[in-house]
Amino acid sequence: MISDKPKSYNDIIRKKMCYDLTNYYSISPENLEMIYQFLTNNPNARISGNQNLISLFSDQQLVQSFPAYKKTNTIDGLTIAGVSLTVIPRRSSGGGSSGGSSSNNNNNNNNNNNNN
Amino acid sequence: MNTKFIHLLFVPTMACNMQCKYCYLEENTKDLGGPKKPIDTLKYAVQKLKENNVIPFNISLHGGEVTTLNKQDFYDIIEFIDHYYQENKTLLEENNFKVGSPHIKTNLYDLEKHIDAIKKFNVSISGSLDLPLSLHKQFRVTKGNQETLSKILENIHLLDALPNKRKVSATIFKEHYDKIEEIIEDIRYLEKNTTLDMNDFNFMIGFDYASNGLLTPLTEEEQVDFFHRMHEAFDGTSLDKGVNGAWFNEFGPEYCTNCDNCGEKFFLLEKNGDIYSCVRGQKHPDFYYGNIYQDSVSKILETAMTKIFTNHNKEPFLEECAKCPYLYICKTGCPFVKNLYHSSKSYTCKLQKELYKKRNYELDTNMEETTYQYALKMHPNLLSSFLPEETGTSDMPSLKEIIDKDNKLHFIYDSNAFFLKVDDRKIPLESQILKKSYECIYLTPHNKVTIYVQKKVLEESEYPANNALYIILLSGDLITYGDEGRTKQKHIMSHQIYQSVLENSPSDEEQFYAYDITDLLKAYAKYLSKEKANNLFFTTNDLRDYHYLKQKNNAYYHIQAINLPFQNIEFHYVEEDSYDF
């Protein structure tokens, strides 16, 4: 758990992003707190995750990294920067991706009678 | 739990019986004593590793100088390694590791002291020399400044009647390279006058590190010239196998630098239990992984992986390396030397390329994928820059190929057709099914959210006045509906804004209509998912109709565009009372 009570929308967003990160990675409470503080204190912070590490970058410089194991096999990695979280879906070797949060929104409602 | 196999270099003593004038260990060539006998540390480490399912596939001895050990300590260690290989032979061979005999790296100066153990356990010997031998005489001296070459050459003869593998290596700096003809002569001399396997000899290329200012690293051009001169001298001779093999194997894929992250495989253990990356990283805090007596194996392994990752990230990953067809072998080189030189690439880059060419290593035909996989492991912050293009299968045109053949379809997927502005931040919108990564943004009721649509996207319609910006809002929550019984994102809202409205909305982008959707989002906020990312799509009436028409007419398109193809953004809508953190 992140101990700080959010005082602003930015705090809420940062906190939400940290908790969203735990949907993809197993992260200890101490490390989660560290990520939250890092995002709070570094305006150009970037958090990157790959198969087994979470890395904290500031202005493209690696500041710290620690092992963290993925909880899902549907992604290769992800990045948090600013107010966005970007997921890289898993690529099988030789190309092709699968997964991604929006791979289930087909809309077969092709009655085209709404051109009034 | 999978068994992890590692290469373990054991340094049973830091003491050395020589004082080479350029020694990288400098004042560290003394045994610091301590309560532990070296055999106790090795046994403890191997047992502790084994309990954690970590098995050394190779245990080699390095110094200091291992022959400075007393006879009993040396014997005990060699015997232990010999028994270890016997006990683990089946396991190692089943996992495709070649099981050899105990191996030592030595300066060959005190070999006779341990010759009985060397004979008994068929110890494989790797000696260090300076070539040309004239420089050996000059640089490699005893602590009393006496030359060592005569005794070393005599000691090599102690091995004459033994079946043991015996080889030597030499490190090349500018001072050696300047005497290249002498080097060539001395290699021939050693082949003719000793029983050293000179086809198994190997060169190392020196780098600028703690040589007491005595040695000068070769330039990359000199390295390449050295490589060619050796080939000119030895190709087609009895040493052809060596010059085309072991001599330069250090720069091929057989060595440690062929790992993405060498911290997952290579470890150096000192007598006191300290663990480092290798001889290069020994005593350097950035390459210190922990102590086998004090730290858990999992902690040591994690530290190793993390530190090597960190070391590779001290310098940026170069475009030149990303586009190099040999990245799959080189992996950008040794992190220790890269950091020493503040360089992003291997200090022997040109030499490696020459070697790969000469040895017919294939140019990578799947370079994009290789670079992506390398970036994924070692530079994840750059991952989105190296996402490979999708390709179609042989029996079906790719979606991109279908789009390229259809001008109207092109607009449905055009990444320049729409963009979003959140306050002052411009967010490009790509087709959901063409994008290679999925960005989710975090919005609040305080953000001003404006959609921009390129005017020509609306105007290139048969009846522009009847065309509209078409906005679809889906919840991150799922619902099962329709004849298919398929679970999909829940539809919250579709909203159409006709051209006549857009024309009267202010826009700060000349080629675009702009429309403020802040209030639209607020109006539906209570229907949005709090936990999962919601989804906002943009298209036009015309393009939406055309998408479904194309689905009807083209099965290949239908299959690949079964999910909504329109430009979209995923988002969380964060309100003050949304979350009970």
Side-chain angles (χ1 to χ4, degrees), chain B residues 534-550:
Chain B
N534 301 284
N535 214 336
L536 195 56
F537 290 87
F538 303 94
T539 186
T540 68
N541 286 0
D542 254 24
L543 294 176
R544 182 173 175 276
D545 290 348
Y546 191 71
H547 161 66
Y548 290 118
L549 181 66
K550 188 79 180 178

Side-chain angles (χ1 to χ4, degrees), chain B residues 80-179:
Chain B
F80 173 79
I81 297 171
D82 181 70
H83 288 179
Y84 172 85
Y85 283 147
Q86 287 177 37
E87 281 164 22
N88 292 282
K89 190 172 192 303
T90 307
L91 172 68
L92 295 174
E93 286 180 347
E94 277 174 0
N95 286 279
N96 303 315
F97 294 106
K98 194 177 163 197
V99 178
S101 50
H103 178 81
I104 63 169
K105 184 86 182 173
T106 172
N107 61 23
L108 300 164
Y109 191 69
D110 268 339
L111 211 55
E112 77 280 12
K113 187 164 86 183
H114 302 293
I115 201 71
D116 292 340
I118 289 168
K119 276 184 196 171
K120 182 172 179 183
F121 296 105
N122 190 25
V123 174
S124 149
I125 311 281
S126 175
S128 310
L129 293 177
D130 262 26
L131 289 180
L133 296 171
S134 62
L135 286 186
H136 187 109
K137 266 192 168 172
Q138 185 182 330
F139 291 137
R140 294 176 81 92
V141 295
T142 64
K143 291 190 191 296
N145 204 26
Q146 299 299 305
E147 68 95 5
T148 60
L149 182 63
S150 319
K151 189 176 174 191
I152 284 170
L153 290 174
E154 279 170 28
N155 282 344
I156 290 171
H157 286 299
L158 293 174
L159 303 169
D160 284 356
L162 303 183
N164 306 43
K165 286 176 100 175
R166 78 292 301 264
K167 59 174 282 191
V168 283
S169 62
T171 304
I172 302 299
F173 283 88
K174 180 88 162 66
E175 289 69 15
H176 306 89
Y177 168 77
D178 285 344
K179 296 175 185 286

Side-chain angles (χ1 to χ4, degrees), chain B residues 512-544:
Chain B
F512 288 78
Y513 295 122
Y515 191 79
D516 186 338
I517 58 170
T518 310
D519 290 338
L520 192 63
L521 291 175
K522 271 185 198 163
Y524 288 95
K526 65 180 175 185
Y527 304 104
L528 294 168
S529 174
K530 299 279 182 273
E531 299 307 320
K532 293 179 179 165
N534 301 284
N535 214 336
L536 195 56
F537 290 87
F538 303 94
T539 186
T540 68
N541 286 0
D542 254 24
L543 294 176
R544 182 173 175 276

Side-chain angles (χ1 to χ4, degrees), chain A residues 14-68:
Chain A
R14 273 195 290 276
K15 217 161 178 177
K16 168 75 176 146
M17 287 200 292
C18 288
Y19 286 123
D20 285 350
L21 186 61
T22 65
N23 292 329
Y24 300 97
Y25 288 91
S26 179
I27 302 172
S28 69
E30 298 76 30
N31 283 338
L32 196 61
E33 177 86 39
M34 180 175 66
I35 292 170
Y36 177 77
Q37 297 300 340
F38 186 76
L39 287 169
T40 305
N41 298 324
N42 292 278
N44 295 319
R46 191 177 182 87
I47 313 294
S48 288
N50 63 3
Q51 286 119 325
N52 47 18
L53 286 171
I54 299 273
S55 307
L56 283 52
F57 292 84
S58 179
D59 292 318
Q60 293 295 328
Q61 285 295 310
L62 177 65
V63 175
Q64 192 171 355
S65 60
F66 57 84

Side-chain angles (χ1 to χ4, degrees), chain B residues 379-526:
Chain B
H379 298 279
N381 58 321
L382 304 175
L383 199 53
S384 50
S385 314
F386 296 114
L387 281 162
E389 289 297 331
E390 304 294 344
T391 50
T393 57
S394 55
D395 57 348
M396 191 194 300
S398 71
L399 180 59
K400 194 169 175 301
E401 286 163 345
I402 297 171
I403 295 164
D404 286 344
K405 287 183 183 164
D406 186 327
N407 279 342
K408 185 145 188 188
L409 208 54
H410 175 78
F411 279 118
I412 299 179
Y413 295 91
D414 186 354
S415 56
N416 298 312
F418 300 88
F419 67 88
L420 204 65
K421 254 192 194 172
V422 177
D423 302 326
D424 292 327
R425 184 189 167 209
K426 196 169 171 178
I427 302 171
L429 298 178
E430 288 179 82
S431 158
Q432 173 189 241
I433 57 177
L434 285 188
K435 65 175 66 167
K436 293 179 278 185
S437 61
Y438 295 87
E439 183 179 11
C440 176
I441 60 171
Y442 292 73
L443 299 175
T444 76
H446 293 293
N447 290 127
K448 182 180 179 191
V449 185
T450 308
I451 178 67
Y452 288 77
V453 52
Q454 224 180 82
K455 288 178 179 172
K456 70 174 180 186
V457 173
L458 275 151
E459 286 161 4
E460 283 190 12
S461 162
E462 203 172 343
Y463 305 105
N466 219 21
N467 203 2
L469 169 64
Y470 197 107
I471 304 172
I472 307 163
L473 179 61
L474 304 182
S475 162
D477 296 330
L478 303 179
I479 189 169
T480 303
Y481 61 129
D483 187 53
E484 302 158 304
R486 188 172 166 193
T487 303
K488 313 172 197 178
Q489 291 186 308
K490 202 188 287 181
H491 204 130
I492 295 178
M493 165 285 274
S494 296
H495 193 88
Q496 296 168 73
I497 305 155
Y498 282 81
Q499 195 188 16
S500 58
V501 176
L502 295 171
E503 279 170 348
N504 290 298
S505 298
S507 175
D508 52 352
E509 298 275 346
E510 197 180 334
Q511 304 298 321
F512 288 78
Y513 295 122
Y515 191 79
D516 186 338
I517 58 170
T518 310
D519 290 338
L520 192 63
L521 291 175
K522 271 185 198 163
Y524 288 95
K526 65 180 175 185

